[in-house]
Amino acid sequence: MTQTQEAAGLLADFRTRRNKGSLDAEQVEREARRAADLIIGFHQERGGRLRDAVTLLCEITADENREVARAGVRILFPALIERLNDSFDPAACELYDQIFAQVIDFYRRLPHARDFDETLRGFGLMSESNLLARKSLIGKSAIRNPQSAIRKVLLLSRVTIGADVAVTSVIIAKLRALAPGAEFVLLGSAKLRELFGGEPRVRIREIKYERGGDVLSRLRSWIGVVEAVNEEIKSLSAGEFLLIDPDSRLTQLGLLPLVKDERNYLFFQSRSYQGAKTADDDNPQSIGWLASCWANEVFGVTGETFPHVALPAEHRNFGRLAVEKLRRAGASRVTVVSLGVGGNQNKRVSEEFEIDTVNRLIKDSTLILDKGATDEEREQINRVVAALRGAGRAVIEINESAPARAISSEKIEVDAITWDGGLGAFAGLIAASDRYVGYDSAGQHIAAALRIPTLTIFVNSGSPAFAERWRPYGPGVIEVFNVERN
């Protein structure tokens, strides 16, 4: 049986069982995973797109049975979309465009997606071919000497905090000098204020994007971005603003437009951009470095620009005071540790590895352990803390509800503290520390941007380029430890 025949058979079987009302979420998830594998295998062998397999994923993710739909979403994004994009392979990026143009075309035709369809029609996009034709034309603009006219720079968030530090902040830093009179508007999560709220020229305009939502909710978030952009530029002429898309999920990596006149729309194709040639062309470069190279090309300038954060004073002061109290108690070295993985358990090594790592670090450091953002991550750190206490180590816990009381004493005499709270205060702790250690996550990029010595642990990533692309980028000391896990 050929791959084409197998995909057609899976689609026909799914439709038959759906019509009979006999879908089982576990079985459907297995079939969705097989469809994702077929799509990638077919492209690797024949260079094309397996349309029936994509259609199957669309129909699964749109099913009325929520458990079935969620099973499909779990496969469509992590097992297919992220797998393609994390490869940083130009051919895989082209396949992503073809797949997601088909996904968009499928969803716009659903009865309850009329607003999404009408917004696409407003841009003259009536079909998959229209979407792909437009995408092939973007990202080719160059803006020389923007400082003379630009009054506002609109930048789309990459949605994930780490990517906004690694990529978006580089572009902001490059343009701050090139357009000294411009206001910067970063469209994304309100959490970005915790990292960039200390920069008076940067304004955060909140945009909600449901990373864990269904497909249509993710697509619909684009409508809000279009409305926000139009409101921001309504009083500006075409030459008075720049709109920069750093490969954002808000536009589904550039497939969805934001303005009809795209002369001042700049798109950074981060997944396939190669940057300037280096002495070792076989050695991939970090995505932050690539963003700096891209900005140089687009704006006709030179020089290396690093990621940055601009923490509000309250967060910097909290971190400074907390670490100062530790030093007064005799801490000669303070190390911040983050074992969070953003819900992706494939980035973890093991609990044994984490306990061993913390036990090694605590021999010459007072530790600050981040408890993460999810219940699962908190439980993970609780087990590490239990192991420390079992070994006779003194650990206290600080949370966001009463951080001032926790650090009100003259000194904090412990072996470790845990932090359970917001991103900004955590970044403040990193800023005041001597070293940062953690898995591939936002913390590594924040630490590098703050020029704190950084050790990142990568677990056998899906492609050779992934760890190099997402390694922290900055002028400070950066180490990467790659772990192979069976």
Side-chain angles (χ1 to χ4, degrees):
M1 181 186 298
T2 66
Q3 292 165 315
T4 303
Q5 291 171 330
E6 185 177 356
L10 286 170
L11 178 59
D13 183 60
F14 170 80
R15 288 172 171 173
T16 298
R17 287 184 288 113
R18 181 183 61 195
N19 292 337
K20 293 180 178 178
S22 59
L23 292 177
D24 174 76
E26 290 187 8
Q27 179 184 358
V28 167
E29 184 164 349
R30 289 193 297 271
E31 292 168 347
R33 188 174 299 279
R34 178 57 184 160
D37 290 340
L38 285 170
I39 290 166
I40 291 175
F42 185 82
H43 183 261
Q44 290 173 340
E45 293 176 19
R46 301 179 59 179
R49 173 184 21 152
L50 206 52
R51 291 190 64 91
D52 278 348
V54 177
T55 298
L56 173 60
L57 290 174
C58 288
E59 294 193 9
I60 292 172
T61 58
D63 195 80
E64 293 180 355
N65 183 318
R66 289 188 177 184
E67 290 302 316
V68 168
R70 279 195 285 263
V73 170
R74 284 195 295 271
I75 299 303
L76 175 63
F77 288 99
L80 180 58
I81 299 304
E82 292 177 19
R83 182 175 169 187
L84 289 172
N85 292 329
D86 286 349
S87 71
F88 291 94
D89 173 42
C93 295
E94 183 179 354
L95 178 59
Y96 161 80
D97 286 344
Q98 295 170 356
I99 290 169
F100 222 80
Q102 184 178 341
V103 171
I104 290 168
D105 196 60
F106 172 89
Y107 269 89
R108 72 183 298 178
R109 300 177 191 283
L110 297 180
H112 51 290
R114 187 169 299 171
D115 57 342
F116 180 61
D117 179 57
E118 288 177 353
T119 307
L120 286 168
R121 289 175 180 272
F123 285 97
L125 300 173
M126 314 301 288
S127 65
E128 285 180 55
S129 60
N130 292 158
L131 290 164
L132 292 171
R134 174 196 160 270
K135 178 66 184 289
S136 70
L137 297 175
I138 65 173
K140 305 183 188 305
S141 301
I143 308 291
R144 306 297 180 180
N145 301 317
Q147 63 267 29
S148 59
I150 300 301
R151 293 171 54 193
K152 184 178 287 188
V153 179
L154 300 165
L155 301 104
L156 302 186
S157 166
R158 290 270 308 216
V159 174
T160 59
I161 294 294
D164 275 329
V165 175
V167 178
T168 314
S169 81
V170 171
I171 299 171
I172 293 174
K174 183 72 71 175
L175 277 167
R176 277 187 307 187
L178 295 177
E183 176 190 22
F184 291 83
V185 182
L186 181 52
L187 292 89
S189 167
K191 288 184 178 181
L192 291 169
R193 294 191 183 99
E194 299 183 51
L195 293 182
F196 299 104
E199 170 55 72
R201 292 180 63 191
V202 175
R203 172 164 55 89
I204 309 301
R205 175 148 185 168
E206 187 174 358
I207 299 289
K208 294 183 178 179
Y209 182 85
E210 296 184 44
R211 288 177 62 193
D214 60 29
V215 177
L216 186 56
S217 70
R218 300 182 197 213
L219 294 174
R220 272 203 176 107
S221 67
W222 162 70
I223 300 173
V225 184
V226 172
E227 293 171 350
V229 168
N230 285 330
E231 185 176 319
E232 291 286 346
I233 66 174
K234 64 183 178 183
S235 62
L236 301 174
S237 66
E240 291 180 322
F241 73 90
L242 289 178
L243 175 58
I244 302 177
D245 181 348
D247 228 2
S248 172
R249 297 186 196 183
L250 296 175
T251 59
Q252 300 307 327
L253 311 187
L255 279 169
L256 298 170
L258 295 171
V259 288
K260 292 180 181 179
D261 182 348
E262 296 189 307
R263 284 176 296 176
N264 283 355
Y265 169 78
L266 302 175
F267 180 72
F268 172 40
Q269 176 69 284
S270 67
R271 292 156 295 127
S272 59
Y273 179 77
Q274 298 298 310
K277 295 294 184 182
T278 65
D280 182 3
D281 289 338
D282 294 326
N283 180 29
Q285 301 294 322
S286 73
I287 199 166
W289 180 83
L290 291 172
S292 180
C293 291
W294 174 82
N296 284 345
E297 288 183 13
V298 170
F299 299 115
V301 295
T302 59
E304 190 171 14
T305 303
F306 297 108
H308 76 286
V309 293
L311 304 183
E314 62 180 295
H315 299 319
R316 274 198 175 271
N317 290 339
F318 167 74
R320 179 181 56 79
L321 284 171
V323 172
E324 186 178 284
K325 301 295 177 68
L326 292 173
R327 297 195 195 282
R328 286 179 188 171
S332 58
R333 190 181 203 187
V334 176
T335 299
V336 175
V337 179
S338 175
L339 299 174
V341 290
N344 184 354
Q345 294 301 308
N346 291 326
K347 291 184 176 183
R348 288 187 68 192
V349 180
S350 67
E351 186 172 313
E352 292 74 20
F353 171 85
E354 291 159 6
I355 291 172
D356 180 65
T357 297
V358 168
N359 279 326
R360 288 174 181 271
L361 292 171
I362 209 168
K363 290 179 180 179
D364 68 354
S365 283
T366 299
L367 304 185
I368 299 175
L369 302 172
D370 179 40
K371 296 199 78 171
T374 66
D375 290 340
E376 186 176 27
E377 289 180 352
R378 290 184 185 92
E379 291 172 4
Q380 172 188 345
I381 294 300
N382 285 341
R383 291 191 292 271
V384 172
V385 169
L388 287 175
R389 286 174 171 156
R393 299 290 187 174
V395 184
I396 65 167
E397 306 201 27
I398 302 176
N399 60 56
E400 196 166 28
S401 63
R405 186 172 68 246
I407 62 171
S408 60
S409 59
E410 184 67 20
K411 59 184 179 180
I412 305 175
E413 194 166 0
V414 291
D415 296 300
I417 64 174
T418 66
W419 168 249
D420 189 0
L423 178 67
F426 179 58
L429 292 167
I430 294 174
S433 72
D434 301 300
R435 178 174 59 176
Y436 173 88
V437 177
Y439 288 130
D440 168 33
S441 65
Q444 63 169 343
H445 299 294
I446 294 169
L450 290 166
R451 305 190 178 197
I452 300 301
T454 304
L455 171 63
T456 298
I457 302 163
F458 278 93
V459 178
N460 51 332
S461 49
S463 75
F466 182 86
E468 192 65 33
R469 284 290 191 267
W470 285 113
R471 66 177 289 135
Y473 171 59
V477 176
I478 294 171
E479 297 178 87
V480 172
F481 180 42
N482 291 296
V483 179
E484 290 296 326
R485 187 186 64 183
N486 296 328

